[in-house]
Amino acid sequence: MLGEINNLLKVVKEENIETSEDLENFRLKYLSKNGIISSMFDKFKNLEKEEKIKYGKLLNEFKNKVDIKFNEKKKLIESKLIKSKEILDESLPGLQLNLGSEHPLNIVKNSIIDIFKKLSFEISEGNEIEDDWHNFTALNFPENHPARDMQDTFFIKKDIALRTHTSSVQVRVMENKKPPIRTISPGRVYRNEVVSSRSNCFFHQIEGLYINKNVSFADLKFVLYKFVEEFFGKNIKIRFRPSYFPFTEPSAEMDIYLGKDTEDKNRLTKGTGWLEIMGCGMVDENVLKNCGIDSNKYSGFAFGMGVERIAMLKYGIKDIRMFFENDIRLLNQFAIL
Ligand code: PHE
């Protein structure tokens, strides 16, 4: 009997149980009424007393091993079955996808672009690393202008810097295209500023340029008013204040009227109710000449605004740095549900 049990142990060990069918066959072969174990116990009954003592323990151990194998395989096969059913259950709800959301700056940038597209403006983009000519000289910046200083601009080497505005893109457009030109240039710009809640060392701009015959300041006012009306809503009041930029003459700052009925608006408008949202002006003759455009034939206007500033206003975001931290709690608020 010893040899028989040892042989059977080897056979049991090698039994391959993969499917529930294999499992049932195994059960029938070893554990059922007419199975091997039952017949072994029948044989055991007929043994002499001394032999019973010898083989009883072995037989029980053998039965235990068969039971353990059976139960382990049963568990495994059942859990596989459940899993495969889960995958195949077509009535279960679908897996929830983790959708990202559009960044608030992109939302604002795209809605500004859409408005100018409707007004027939094209989009032009350029390099973030720019040479002195396109960022400063062509734009009529005098030799000693503070923006040319290391304090204000990130220079990479002499005459090469991170662009401080996207006006540089417009210089490239003027150099390469004949008027009429209607273009806006969105993009990231860099300034060597102390980072605070109101200013960052990089931000985004959308600048615009229109060049044609007989373009006047009235055209500038019309286009900017149309933009403001579309973006902020009808009946919004705007005003122009004289200003200075090297590349425009005359130059102006455009304000919108927010009112001062809340503490926030009072703070934002420094108690005046007015908030500056962009710089603008008629393109300086020198700039046209620098870019190869006949200033006797053509004139134009330009404007430029900061996307962060407008997004902060639109969404009531009080710290510009929040745009760049990518905190999921902020971004989630812009998810499309
Ligand atoms: N380039 C200016 C700036 O960066 C904005 C501007 C553009 C002003 C065009 C007037 C005309 O601040």
Side-chain angles (χ1 to χ4, degrees):
M1 200 165 194
L2 181 64
E4 200 179 347
I5 292 179
N6 280 339
N7 267 345
L8 278 170
L9 265 175
K10 261 194 218 153
V11 177
V12 168
K13 227 179 173 182
E14 280 162 15
E15 291 282 6
N16 192 19
I17 308 176
E18 298 280 343
T19 64
S20 27
E21 220 178 10
D22 296 341
L23 188 73
E24 179 59 4
N25 289 337
F26 182 84
R27 191 189 67 79
L28 288 173
K29 184 168 169 190
Y30 294 96
L31 296 164
S32 66
K33 247 190 193 168
N34 303 319
I36 290 173
I37 288 177
S38 170
S39 74
M40 299 277 287
F41 273 99
D42 285 345
K43 274 190 202 165
F44 176 77
K45 267 186 229 157
N46 301 326
L47 290 179
E48 296 295 318
K49 199 177 173 194
E50 270 172 31
E51 295 217 295
K52 271 192 182 161
I53 297 172
K54 207 170 161 191
Y55 294 120
K57 206 176 149 213
L58 274 178
L59 199 55
N60 272 330
E61 271 173 14
F62 173 65
K63 185 179 182 299
N64 275 345
K65 281 190 177 146
V66 173
D67 278 341
I68 288 171
K69 177 153 182 163
F70 176 79
N71 286 326
E72 273 177 2
K73 291 290 176 186
K74 191 173 170 208
K75 254 196 221 157
L76 205 77
I77 288 169
E78 276 174 357
S79 77
K80 268 192 202 159
L81 218 68
I82 289 169
K83 267 194 200 146
S84 72
K85 267 196 189 143
E86 267 172 5
I87 290 165
L88 287 174
D89 187 349
E90 290 173 15
S91 66
L92 284 176
L95 293 176
Q96 214 177 357
L97 292 177
N98 244 343
L99 281 184
S101 56
E102 216 179 337
H103 193 282
L105 287 180
N106 267 341
I107 298 175
V108 169
K109 179 186 87 177
N110 289 335
S111 61
I112 295 173
I113 288 177
D114 283 348
I115 296 171
F116 283 105
K117 267 195 194 159
K118 276 197 227 161
L119 294 165
S120 302
F121 280 76
E122 288 173 352
I123 295 164
S124 44
E125 285 178 330
N127 304 332
E128 292 186 15
I129 296 175
E130 198 44 284
D131 54 33
D132 174 275
W133 171 258
H134 292 94
N135 198 79
F136 296 125
T137 304
L139 287 160
N140 207 29
F141 276 77
E143 203 58 57
N144 53 357
H145 191 281
R148 288 176 177 256
D149 200 291
M150 304 272 277
Q151 301 286 313
D152 290 278
T153 299
F154 293 111
F155 281 92
I156 290 168
K157 52 186 184 187
K158 193 178 177 290
D159 292 346
I160 303 283
L162 294 178
R163 68 181 176 196
T164 60
H165 50 185
T166 59
S167 306
S168 54
V169 180
Q170 313 199 327
V171 172
R172 289 182 182 275
V173 174
M174 287 189 278
E175 284 174 338
N176 292 307
K177 253 187 100 172
K178 289 207 163 68
I181 293 171
R182 271 188 212 88
T183 188
I184 50 169
S185 28
R188 183 177 285 191
V189 300
Y190 300 83
R191 297 201 188 160
N192 197 352
E193 302 227 18
V194 177
V195 176
S196 72
S197 62
R198 302 186 125 249
S199 59
N200 196 37
C201 50
F202 63 84
F203 58 97
H204 299 80
Q205 276 192 328
I206 296 185
E207 295 212 354
L209 176 74
Y210 176 46
I211 306 214
N212 208 343
K213 286 178 182 149
N214 303 318
V215 179
S216 72
F217 206 91
D219 299 309
L220 162 69
K221 282 167 105 173
F222 172 80
V223 167
L224 293 188
Y225 188 70
K226 277 283 156 214
F227 161 68
V228 167
E229 205 181 48
E230 281 262 338
F231 192 86
F232 294 99
K234 283 215 175 335
N235 303 325
I236 183 121
K237 277 198 284 187
I238 59 171
R239 75 175 184 190
F240 291 84
R241 278 180 296 108
S243 184
Y244 170 77
F245 298 103
F247 34 89
T248 46
E249 180 59 35
S251 304
E253 237 37 276
M254 189 181 83
D255 301 342
I256 58 170
Y257 190 71
L258 281 188
K260 39 185 176 176
D261 47 314
T262 66
E263 207 182 296
D264 264 0
K265 286 182 185 171
N266 242 311
R267 185 183 49 84
L268 220 59
T269 66
K270 299 193 179 104
T272 64
W274 291 95
L275 183 73
E276 178 214 315
I277 62 159
M278 68 173 100
C280 57
M282 301 306 292
V283 180
D284 195 289
E285 270 185 37
N286 287 336
V287 175
L288 294 176
K289 278 184 207 150
N290 287 340
C291 300
I293 290 175
D294 185 349
S295 60
N296 292 319
K297 242 166 124 184
Y298 295 104
S299 54
F301 65 75
F303 57 88
M305 65 190 108
V307 180
E308 281 78 359
R309 200 186 167 98
I310 295 187
M312 284 166 89
L313 183 64
K314 183 170 166 123
Y315 298 121
I317 294 172
K318 293 205 177 86
D319 192 321
I320 194 170
R321 290 168 289 200
M322 292 179 89
F323 290 119
F324 311 114
E325 283 164 355
N326 282 334
D327 187 326
I328 207 84
R329 289 168 299 180
L330 177 89
L331 299 180
N332 267 344
Q333 295 178 50
F334 298 90
I336 302 160
L337 298 174

